[in-house]
Amino acid sequence: MGKVYLTGAGPGDIELLTLKALRVIREADVIIYDRLANPEILKEAKDGCAFVYVGKEDSHHTLPQEEINEVIYQSALKYDVVVRLKGGDPLVFGRGGEEGIYLRERGIKFAFIPGITSAIAVPEYAGIPVTHRGVTVSFRVVTGHESKHKDHSQIPWENYKTDDTIIFLMGLHRLDYICQMLIKIGKSKDHPVAVISRGTTPEERTVIGTLETIYEKAKNLPTPALIVVGEVVNLREQLSWFEKEV
Ligand code: SAH
């Protein structure tokens, strides 16, 4: 029986892969991956490594999680070194925990290999620090993708009145709704918002606006994209660096 490495691939820039992730990718007998931040990483695999793709471009059409769990499990019965590669960090909206539980229940050894999460690194490449002394003392990372069948929001919007920086992942398709909800709980219409598309890659684009204006400005940006809400967005004027270089 093999061992499964639930591995973070980082946010896009291949150099943001950890040394540990690179080591297991090079040792892997099989790599199970989905819509990866950077498919170039797969070129690091050894000759003869098998690749299993478990997703499509559009995140709504990935294999059901139960089937992915089973693919990983079956791979562990067949191969020694199994790498389950995920964008960013495997446990930040990566469902790595579910995969770990599934393997544990079947007696398969696994390890988590943390990755640099897009939630922090993508704003950072756009010159937006998620915390900044004197501006905000905390940040939260929230899913913008809620279960469709629920008729009420699972997000406790009332808790979001604080000055935390709020980073929404998987939220571009609900940008309008997110901004409306934040205005509804009392945030100013002029509150700064950034949408960053394809962060840390040569195609990175950042659009800045307010809760009132951002939807019209950013709705057509390509995915993956994340949303940053908070005064820290204004620091980009002094801190933007990466988009100047590429
Ligand atoms: N585990 C991942 C997040 C998975 S959820 C991590 O830690 O980064 C997928 C969401 O992450 C996307 O919908 C998008 O909001 C965000 N994301 C991932 N890579 C991104 C990138 N390069 N640029 C902008 N957003 C990104």
Side-chain angles (χ1 to χ4, degrees):
M1 253 185 318
K3 180 164 174 179
V4 177
Y5 295 90
L6 301 165
T7 305
D13 181 345
I14 194 166
E15 290 189 288
L16 296 179
L17 195 66
T18 66
L19 292 176
K20 195 161 187 175
L22 186 58
R23 178 173 64 77
V24 296
I25 288 162
R26 287 178 173 161
E27 288 172 2
D29 298 308
V30 59
I31 299 178
I32 301 158
Y33 67 103
D34 40 46
R35 192 175 51 106
L36 261 194
N38 194 338
E40 290 284 305
I41 291 169
L42 301 177
K43 293 186 182 156
E44 293 291 331
K46 68 182 181 192
D47 286 346
C49 176
F51 296 103
V52 181
Y53 180 63
V54 290
K56 289 189 187 155
E57 261 306 295
D58 178 346
S59 61
H60 301 289
H61 291 116
T62 46
L63 281 189
Q65 187 61 42
E66 185 71 17
E67 281 178 43
I68 295 175
N69 295 346
E70 188 59 24
V71 168
I72 299 169
Y73 170 59
Q74 292 298 333
S75 299
L77 297 178
K78 202 167 149 194
Y79 299 101
D80 283 338
V81 181
V82 179
V83 171
R84 168 67 173 123
L85 199 56
K86 294 161 172 289
D89 182 273
L91 298 184
V92 178
F93 300 118
R95 309 193 72 169
E98 289 161 71
E99 294 168 3
I101 291 168
Y102 194 88
L103 295 170
R104 176 62 48 80
E105 284 172 353
R106 285 155 186 79
I108 303 289
K109 279 197 195 140
F110 67 85
F112 290 118
I113 301 183
I116 294 184
T117 180
S118 64
I120 298 172
V122 167
E124 191 162 339
Y125 266 53
I128 301 171
V130 295
T131 70
H132 191 78
R133 198 175 165 88
V135 179
T136 180
V137 294
S138 59
F139 63 92
R140 38 173 101 206
V141 181
V142 183
T143 173
H145 181 68
E146 299 185 84
S147 306
K148 286 205 184 74
H149 46 87
K150 300 266 171 25
D151 52 8
H152 66 280
S153 178
Q154 294 160 275
I155 297 176
W157 291 102
E158 286 298 316
N159 296 351
Y160 288 37
K161 287 181 175 165
T162 63
D163 292 332
D164 296 3
T165 302
I166 315 175
I167 299 129
F168 289 94
L169 302 186
M170 300 174 282
L172 189 63
H173 65 295
R174 303 192 80 201
L175 180 59
D176 194 24
Y177 169 77
I178 287 167
C179 292
Q180 280 173 29
M181 290 307 285
L182 291 173
I183 291 171
K184 201 169 150 193
I185 62 162
K187 284 198 188 280
S188 158
K189 287 181 177 166
D190 299 325
H191 203 64
V193 185
V195 175
I196 309 157
S197 161
R198 300 192 173 164
T200 82
T201 77
E203 293 90 49
E204 175 170 315
R205 273 188 64 198
T206 303
V207 173
I208 304 291
T210 64
L211 285 177
E212 192 171 35
T213 64
I214 193 73
Y215 175 68
E216 282 306 323
K217 289 168 123 179
K219 63 181 177 188
N220 293 324
L221 283 177
T223 58
L226 58 72
I227 305 161
V228 187
V229 179
E231 299 292 342
V232 287
V233 167
N234 295 332
L235 288 158
R236 177 175 155 81
E237 279 175 31
Q238 291 151 279
L239 292 176
S240 81
W241 61 278
F242 177 66
E243 287 160 48
K244 289 191 164 79
E245 285 173 9
V246 292

